[in-house]
Amino acid sequence: MTTYDATPIDVLLVEDDPGDELMTREAFEDNKIGNTLHVVRDGEEALDFLYRRGGHAEAPRPDLILLDLNLPKYDGRQVLEKIKSDQDLSDIPVVVLTTSSAEEDILRSYKLHANAYVTKPVDLDQFIAAVRQIDDFFVQVVRLPRRPA
């Protein structure tokens, strides 16, 4: 087994379902690397976090975004479009993590430059395994852009 010198990262989870948030937290807590998981509950709060507005003025720049599509206020598609069209945010990898397996959602997400599209498994153990794989992949396998100074 290969050992990686992985540095913990800041992950922004954009998720309005408390159950899915809890399962995601569990997957992160059980993983060996101490990544920091920040959670926002709707599209408007996600943009406030990313632009450091309001109660998120001190928010760190996330290294990875896990984005649900079906959100209140602004849906995930609108948030994804905003992120990927903003020169200051577009290099942050975005993984769409959603219950939708609709082909039009998958196609639209990739056209909006999502870095990956993952359909949430219904089974608890499979859901946690999927989140762990995403976490492992983006921390141990791929190289993320360096944070701006």
Side-chain angles (χ1 to χ4, degrees):
M1 179 156 180
T2 306
T3 304
Y4 298 94
D5 180 23
T7 304
I9 64 171
D10 284 294
V11 179
L12 177 60
L13 173 65
V14 186
E15 176 59 69
D16 64 321
D17 184 307
D20 288 351
E21 175 193 339
L22 187 63
M23 289 188 292
T24 304
R25 281 189 188 281
E26 186 175 320
F28 270 75
E29 287 168 7
D30 287 347
N31 247 355
K32 297 168 193 65
I33 298 161
N35 294 332
T36 303
L37 185 66
H38 306 274
V39 180
V40 295
R41 307 212 182 283
D42 61 52
E44 183 177 52
E45 191 180 1
L47 294 175
D48 286 347
F49 188 99
L50 292 166
Y51 289 107
R52 298 179 176 129
R53 299 186 293 223
H56 297 288
E58 300 297 317
R61 176 185 164 89
D63 300 294
L64 174 65
I65 299 170
L66 303 178
L67 178 65
D68 190 15
L69 287 184
N70 302 311
L71 298 167
K73 299 190 181 173
Y74 297 108
D75 76 9
R77 297 157 199 83
Q78 293 170 300
V79 173
L80 178 60
E81 185 171 20
K82 181 73 174 160
I83 292 167
K84 293 303 183 177
S85 65
D86 185 309
Q87 184 176 344
D88 294 329
L89 302 175
S90 63
D91 62 337
I92 301 172
V94 178
V95 175
V96 173
L97 183 61
T98 186
T99 55
S100 173
S101 58
E103 194 61 34
E104 67 258 19
D105 284 336
I106 297 167
L107 184 59
R108 180 152 183 228
S109 294
Y110 281 116
K111 282 189 175 186
L112 292 172
H113 305 288
N115 296 83
Y117 190 102
V118 178
T119 301
K120 293 177 188 173
V122 177
D123 176 78
L124 172 66
D125 291 335
Q126 289 178 355
F127 181 93
I128 290 172
V131 172
R132 282 187 190 140
Q133 288 174 343
I134 293 167
D135 185 38
D136 287 344
F137 180 73
F138 279 95
V139 173
Q140 297 181 6
V141 179
V142 302
R143 295 209 38 190
L144 295 173
R146 291 225 178 249
R147 295 179 192 194

